[in-house]
Amino acid sequence: MASITLEGLKKSYDGKIQAVKGIDLEVADGEFIVLVGPSGCGKSTLLRMVAGLETISQGELRIGERRVNDLEPAERDIAMVFQNYALYPHMTVFDNLAYGLKNRGFKRHDIERRVADTARMLEIETFLTRKPRQLSGGQRQRVAMGRALVREPAAFLLDEPLSNLDAKLRVQMRVEIKQLQRRLKTTSLYVTHDQLEAMTLGDRLVVLNQGQIEQVGTPMEIYTRPATMFVATFIGSPAMNMLPVDYLKERGANGVLDNLPQGTDIVGVRPDDMRMQAPAQPHLVVESTLELLEAAGAESHLYVRLAGSEQPTVIRTSGQPPVAEGETLRFHVIRDALHPFNRDTGQRTDC
Amino acid sequence: MQTKRMTFPGRWLPYALLAPQVVITLIFFIWPASQALYQSLLREDAFGLRTTFVGLENFVRLFGDPLYLNSMKVTLIFSLGTTLLSMSLALLLAVTVNRMIRSRSSYTTLLVWPYAIAPAIAGVLWWFIFNPSIGIVPYLLDMLGYRWNHRTSGGDAMLLVIIAAAWKQISYNVLFFLAGLQSIPQSLIEAAAIDGASPLKRFWTIVFPLLSPTTFFLLVVNVVYAMFDTFGVIHATTSGGPSQATNILVYKVYADGFVGLNLGSSAAQSVILMAIVIALTVVQFRFIERRVNY
Ligand SMILES: Nc1ncnc2c1ncn2[C@@H]1O[C@H](COP(=O)(O)OP(=O)(O)OP(=O)(O)O)[C@@H](O)[C@H]1O
Ligand SMILES: [Mg+2]
């Protein structure tokens, strides 16, 4: 177990492509950090730098108190779960788990005991003599987890470990991973582009964009107070709506927008914060035409076009509202639901 | 598996389309093969005037003939030597090439060249290099105190033909090994690195086992090559000598039949070779079907 410290970590390929542009991050001992961001933002590159599979172009990486920039992957005392699992296809499940222990010179009975313990924990005991190709996707995923767990490393690195599973299994494994991490308290870095995984798994989230950190915080912090427009629209589904302040003022803002912080020219509103019933507090009223109604059972998504604007906007309501496509609808937004941003800097203005 | 089915109008078209291949097979394979089979049961007298039917006697004689048994031993040593040498060098080269990313394509092109050279030319090439009076290698060996002479030393001669035959096959093997290496996912090797395996250990415990289908395929191809396709190499370098030391089975078929004019025995030998080829092919298909160990 150990903390992980990233200081000004940079990665450039061939001196040109900047994949990671200076990351500072302090991961506490036992913490579960989720790296989330759009495709190509450098999540995998960052993780692979921590693992030692990619060289570090600049900056310093410490695991525990040790500077590990120049150490081989094996010497960093980490374990990694790959997206495609990377199980050794010619070895049995037992040998897959035992391989790392054998290489580290563990005694035979120690290996057997550890593999047995891990297999019991992950409920893969019955497959120990099978080859990976004789397993289902979910079972392979467990074996891949097992191979990481069995060595009891200082840190786990997981690169989209659930993305090859079907939706149901993904939920199940997500819960199991969370419980496992709670129990073992091993420092973990988990890469995903799935928001739900990010929100539910992490003690803290790191939102990356184009090789840089946009925001670090607990899932709730990031959801309730996104620091940039990028984070605001990236986290949360459907994405946050962005409404220009000028437009709202034109349509009559009832004084709600009067004391916005300096520099605010656009406000974000979560789809759930646009209500059909008028609240008692002072509020904005937004008129729009319903273009598409998406009923998803417990909730509905209303895709609307704001009156006098081209801006597509999404509203989420519970249940199924009694409205028809083409109808004109009025939505109500209270002051507290507004996230003020500056369009040019992309930064939140009230912090 | 679904197969695509074509239907042809009329009955003659499919036969017409097949005909050229069938004719070629008949003229160049089936007919000579059946001739050999027939010949192997006959004996011709010394002047080629009379032939008599002798049944399996040619075969019986062969297996009692110390020269033939020696040729079998020589063939075994030669084909194993050639296969091992060309495959291990090829694997070494393939692994090296696989590491280089940029210069890979030009380098592989260069590697393929030897394969395009006719066996006889390859033989002559090595004949020059190893020529005891004018060759460079004997000259260098002489400085080290070794007197190379494949004209008198059976061991030297065997080494020469093995090197010459293996050299020509290396490029072919490299290409297959390279393709095999590239089909191994990089993440497996990375996982092994994280699992604490040294580069050498990664190679022997991960890469090499995963290459086994390629290795096995090449093993059969190389043995077949060494046993049947090296006539030119032998002919250009040692002509089977000295004193039978490099007289492999294929070469003996030629030497006995066309030089020694013992057609019956020569035909019997080629029938045996045919049987060996068929056996090797069966082995190959059997194993390839089972996809070797994983
Ligand atoms: N070997 C490489 N050579 C050059 N550029 C690379 C290399 N590997 C990655 N990149 C670039 O670095 C950037 C980050 O890649 P990375 O794989 O880290 O993205 P990611 O966040 O993991 O994306 P995804 O969610 O799709 O997996 C990308 O723009 C990619 O094109
Ligand atoms: Mg990735």
Side-chain angles (χ1 to χ4, degrees):
Chain A
M1 298 217 181
S3 61
I4 304 176
T5 312
L6 289 70
E7 260 172 31
L9 227 50
K10 286 188 188 167
K11 175 76 193 179
S12 53
Y13 289 106
D14 309 324
K16 287 194 298 275
I17 309 161
Q18 289 255 311
V20 174
K21 302 171 187 160
I23 300 281
D24 293 293
L25 184 67
E26 184 84 38
V27 183
D29 186 9
E31 197 176 19
F32 197 132
I33 291 278
V34 175
L35 299 170
V36 62
S39 187
C41 69
K43 307 181 293 288
S44 298
T45 307
L46 188 60
L47 198 72
R48 291 167 57 81
M49 279 158 81
V50 176
L53 299 173
E54 249 9 295
T55 54
I56 294 170
S57 306
Q58 227 179 322
E60 185 168 287
L61 173 68
R62 289 195 297 275
I63 297 178
E65 295 304 306
R66 268 192 321 166
R67 180 191 143 96
V68 297
N69 282 43
D70 305 314
L71 292 189
E72 290 294 315
E75 299 164 329
R76 296 189 182 192
D77 196 17
I78 44 100
M80 183 152 170
V81 179
F82 292 81
Q83 181 171 6
N84 64 0
Y85 312 143
L87 298 176
Y88 311 123
H90 56 300
M91 297 185 195
T92 61
V93 170
F94 181 93
D95 289 332
N96 264 281
L97 296 194
Y99 187 71
L101 299 175
K102 277 183 196 152
N103 289 335
R104 285 177 165 74
F106 278 74
K107 296 236 167 49
R108 197 190 162 77
H109 66 267
D110 277 342
I111 295 178
E112 276 165 11
R113 183 180 47 77
R114 281 213 192 194
V115 171
D117 287 350
T118 308
R120 190 166 335 107
M121 182 159 68
L122 290 166
E123 295 166 27
I124 50 174
E125 297 146 292
T126 46
F127 321 129
L128 280 177
T129 55
R130 290 202 211 163
K131 298 264 173 77
R133 71 178 147 78
Q134 298 164 312
L135 302 177
S136 73
Q139 291 161 349
R140 275 179 218 177
Q141 215 286 327
R142 280 165 192 277
V143 175
M145 291 291 299
R147 190 172 62 182
L149 290 174
V150 76
R151 286 201 346 248
E152 298 174 11
F156 286 139
L157 309 173
L158 306 96
D159 192 353
E160 307 199 21
L162 304 183
S163 61
N164 283 341
L165 301 180
D166 66 50
K168 200 173 156 195
L169 209 52
R170 202 180 304 181
V171 175
Q172 186 191 335
M173 284 309 294
R174 193 175 76 208
V175 174
E176 285 189 29
I177 288 180
K178 183 78 195 167
Q179 287 169 340
L180 217 54
Q181 204 273 342
R182 283 244 173 89
R183 190 144 44 103
L184 301 174
K185 296 203 169 28
T186 308
T187 316
S188 305
L189 277 179
Y190 186 107
V191 165
T192 181
H193 58 239
D194 182 309
Q195 316 210 2
L196 206 57
E197 268 173 39
M199 294 294 289
T200 52
L201 279 175
D203 293 328
R204 280 195 300 159
L205 290 190
V206 176
V207 184
L208 288 173
N209 185 27
Q210 297 186 349
Q212 275 165 326
I213 293 185
E214 289 274 336
Q215 189 176 3
V216 182
T218 64
M220 260 351 254
E221 271 165 23
I222 287 190
Y223 186 79
T224 53
R225 280 185 67 83
T228 64
M229 283 172 71
F230 174 83
V231 177
T233 47
F234 187 76
I235 298 288
S237 169
M240 184 184 280
N241 298 302
M242 286 294 166
L243 308 176
V245 171
D246 289 347
Y247 165 81
L248 292 173
K249 281 191 171 152
E250 250 170 55
R251 319 272 319 166
N254 294 342
V256 175
L257 298 175
D258 284 352
N259 46 13
L260 284 175
Q262 189 76 38
T264 308
D265 55 7
I266 193 161
V267 289
V269 185
R270 293 254 175 235
D272 336 43
D273 289 331
M274 301 186 71
R275 302 281 162 76
M276 296 182 81
Q277 278 89 23
Q281 300 112 295
H283 56 267
L284 293 171
V285 179
V286 187
E287 253 180 40
S288 59
T289 321
L290 180 60
E291 296 205 312
L292 181 74
L293 174 64
E294 226 178 44
E299 60 178 47
S300 300
H301 301 161
L302 284 65
Y303 294 83
V304 302
R305 193 165 292 278
L306 300 187
S309 157
E310 286 302 293
Q311 183 93 25
T313 304
V314 192
I315 286 111
R316 177 159 63 189
T317 63
S318 58
Q320 200 177 347
V323 291
E325 286 170 11
E327 207 174 308
T328 303
L329 301 173
R330 312 184 87 195
F331 295 100
H332 311 270
V333 185
I334 58 167
R335 169 67 184 88
D336 286 349
L338 299 179
H339 301 264
F341 294 103
N342 181 284
R343 217 187 309 207
D344 296 325
T345 62
Q347 300 293 316
R348 194 178 180 97
T349 49
D350 66 344
C351 46
Chain B
M1 206 172 68
Q2 262 198 338
T3 46
K4 204 169 177 178
R5 259 174 195 278
M6 288 279 273
T7 41
F8 292 102
R11 296 197 57 180
W12 58 271
L13 184 60
Y15 292 108
L17 290 173
L18 270 179
Q21 186 62 49
V22 171
V23 169
I24 287 174
T25 311
L26 280 176
I27 294 179
F28 291 103
F29 296 98
I30 308 294
W31 186 65
S34 54
Q35 280 289 306
L37 214 62
Y38 177 61
Q39 280 279 349
S40 70
L41 305 176
L42 303 178
R43 163 144 357 118
E44 216 165 284
D45 69 9
F47 305 102
L49 297 176
R50 280 212 340 246
T51 47
T52 38
F53 184 83
V54 293
L56 292 177
E57 201 190 307
N58 283 326
F59 292 93
V60 176
R61 274 173 182 244
L62 273 181
F63 287 106
D65 180 358
L67 285 182
Y68 190 70
L69 297 180
N70 173 60
S71 175
M72 280 195 154
K73 198 183 84 193
V74 166
T75 308
L76 196 72
I77 296 171
F78 172 71
S79 44
L80 285 184
T82 304
T83 304
L84 285 183
L85 184 65
S86 68
M87 282 183 64
S88 47
L89 279 180
L91 186 55
L92 198 70
L93 281 172
V95 169
T96 319
V97 173
N98 198 33
R99 293 234 172 120
M100 317 190 302
I101 301 161
R102 222 161 292 158
S103 44
R104 190 183 284 160
S105 65
S106 58
Y107 197 76
T108 37
T109 315
L110 288 180
L111 275 173
V112 185
W113 284 2
Y115 190 62
I117 292 172
I121 307 289
V124 171
L125 216 92
W126 290 100
W127 179 84
F128 267 117
I129 295 176
F130 278 93
N131 189 301
S133 24
I134 58 165
I136 177 88
V137 175
Y139 175 71
L140 293 175
L141 284 176
D142 200 35
M143 292 203 294
L144 295 175
Y146 183 80
R147 286 213 59 80
W148 172 276
N149 195 342
H150 62 258
R151 286 178 192 151
T152 52
S153 155
D156 286 1
M158 178 56 92
L159 210 58
L160 171 60
V161 289
I162 287 179
I163 292 174
W167 175 75
K168 219 187 102 40
Q169 199 62 9
I170 284 178
S171 46
Y172 180 89
N173 295 343
V174 167
L175 286 189
F176 274 86
F177 273 134
L178 206 54
L181 284 173
Q182 277 168 16
S183 69
I184 297 176
Q186 190 60 28
S187 59
L188 287 183
I189 294 155
E190 292 173 349
I194 291 177
D195 264 342
S198 65
L200 207 63
K201 185 146 196 190
R202 265 174 256 165
F203 180 79
W204 287 116
T205 54
I206 310 289
V207 176
F208 193 70
L210 293 180
L211 267 183
S212 63
T214 309
T215 310
F216 184 77
F217 165 79
L218 285 179
L219 198 67
V220 177
V221 168
N222 279 271
V223 168
V224 170
Y225 160 80
M227 288 185 76
F228 305 102
D229 227 5
T230 45
F231 174 84
V233 172
I234 303 271
H235 196 53
T237 49
T238 62
S239 302
S243 59
Q244 307 281 331
T246 57
N247 199 4
I248 63 170
L249 291 171
V250 207
Y251 198 75
K252 197 165 156 55
V253 171
Y254 159 80
D256 289 359
F258 294 90
V259 183
L261 291 178
N262 188 350
L263 287 185
S265 170
S266 170
Q269 290 178 33
S270 59
V271 169
I272 293 172
L273 282 179
M274 252 189 277
I276 296 176
V277 175
I278 292 170
L280 280 173
T281 314
V282 169
V283 168
Q284 175 164 10
F285 277 105
R286 269 288 160 85
F287 276 86
I288 295 265
E289 245 163 56
R290 272 197 239 134
R291 305 231 18 124
V292 197
N293 73 56
Y294 75 96

